[in-house]
Amino acid sequence: MRKICTFLIAMMLCMPMMLSAIRVHTIGDSTMAEYDENTTDKRGWGMYLGSFFDPAFVTVNNRGKSGADTRSFYTGAAYWASLKTQRQAGDYLLIQFAHNDEGTVTYGMDNLEYAAYCQAHGLPAPTDARGTNPQTTYRDMLRAFIDEARAMGVHPVLVGPICRAYFQGSDIKRNGKHDLGDKFSKIENDVLYENQSLPAGDSTMSYVKAMKVVAEEKDV
């Protein structure tokens, strides 16, 4: 949040010096996506980001996609590939993922790895290919977005995922903060382990921590 605030303030201060509007592209999941205000009560924050700016200086291209994880957005022809045709040097790219990267069949593991395991062991293959591991695929996909954006002269900004409304009393639970340390799955030595847990404070299964690691590594 601190980085986002700094980004917004910097843009506001630079507005008088801009000769033309800069463009901000947003990629992420349902918490960012566009919704029809006449047919649903759902709202993504990307819908309203542009209202904080004078369009003479800043325009927003919200490409948030409900249900997307990092890999499905990257590989889907209608998403990352098409966004490349809309970008130009000097644009900004806001990147927010985690909700669907946590998985819908198994939690906290690469679902393609799980699919391969199922095939090898004669188990039903998962029909949902979403899900990445915070230590491996999730970080790699964030790096891909960053590297490809920079190659086009676009400024990437990593945005931490919105907390889920998972409460224990008045506190947000661990998984509500996108840390699956209380329940996750893994494959080791060709054995599937489910309902695994880690001590409090161990951030191995935290997607937020994984994003911060990439941010520091890439100086984003």
Side-chain angles (χ1 to χ4, degrees):
M1 181 60 73
R2 187 176 304 165
K3 288 187 177 181
I4 296 302
C5 291
T6 302
F7 160 74
L8 295 176
I9 292 170
M11 288 174 62
M12 291 177 188
L13 292 175
C14 290
M15 282 181 184
M17 297 180 286
M18 295 179 184
L19 297 178
S20 60
I22 66 168
R23 296 192 300 172
V24 178
H25 307 279
T26 60
I27 63 173
D29 51 46
S30 60
T31 62
M32 176 192 281
E34 299 280 332
Y35 297 95
D36 186 342
E37 295 184 350
N38 296 317
T39 61
T40 179
D41 61 357
K42 291 182 178 180
R43 302 289 183 267
W45 63 264
M47 294 174 62
Y48 302 106
L49 181 60
S51 65
F52 290 92
F53 301 102
D54 183 334
F57 297 108
V58 178
T59 61
V60 176
N61 175 30
N62 182 23
R63 294 297 302 276
K65 170 62 178 174
S66 181
D69 68 353
T70 51
R71 180 165 49 209
S72 66
F73 196 97
Y74 183 83
T75 59
Y79 309 121
W80 183 242
S82 69
L83 182 58
K84 286 183 178 182
T85 66
Q86 300 173 334
R87 296 178 298 176
Q88 60 188 26
D91 289 355
Y92 286 82
L93 176 70
L94 306 189
I95 306 165
Q96 177 202 268
F97 290 97
H99 285 76
N100 303 300
D101 284 86
E102 294 171 15
T104 57
V105 180
T106 56
Y107 298 107
M109 65 183 297
D110 188 308
N111 212 36
L112 294 187
E113 179 186 10
Y114 177 64
Y117 174 87
C118 290
Q119 183 177 17
H121 292 268
L123 300 173
T127 57
D128 192 333
R130 292 177 297 173
T132 64
N133 180 278
Q135 293 291 322
T136 56
T137 317
Y138 179 68
R139 298 187 189 192
D140 289 341
M141 298 312 304
L142 293 180
R143 292 182 183 112
F145 289 131
I146 292 167
D147 291 344
E148 292 184 23
R150 283 178 164 166
M152 298 185 68
V154 175
H155 308 291
V157 179
L158 292 173
V159 181
I162 303 294
C163 283
R164 294 180 183 272
Y166 295 165
F167 288 95
Q168 185 171 8
S170 59
D171 297 324
I172 298 176
K173 296 197 298 184
R174 193 172 181 179
N175 60 340
K177 301 175 183 178
H178 302 284
D179 181 348
L180 303 184
D182 286 337
K183 183 181 180 180
F184 65 95
S185 302
K186 64 178 181 178
I187 295 173
E188 286 187 357
N189 300 319
D190 201 34
V191 177
L192 175 64
Y193 297 92
E194 299 182 275
N195 299 317
Q196 300 296 292
S197 63
L198 296 169
D202 187 324
S203 60
T204 300
M205 296 306 297
S206 169
Y207 290 79
V208 175
K209 176 62 176 178
M211 180 178 278
K212 289 181 178 179
V213 168
V214 174
E216 293 175 1
E217 170 193 317
K218 294 289 187 179
D219 191 25
V220 176

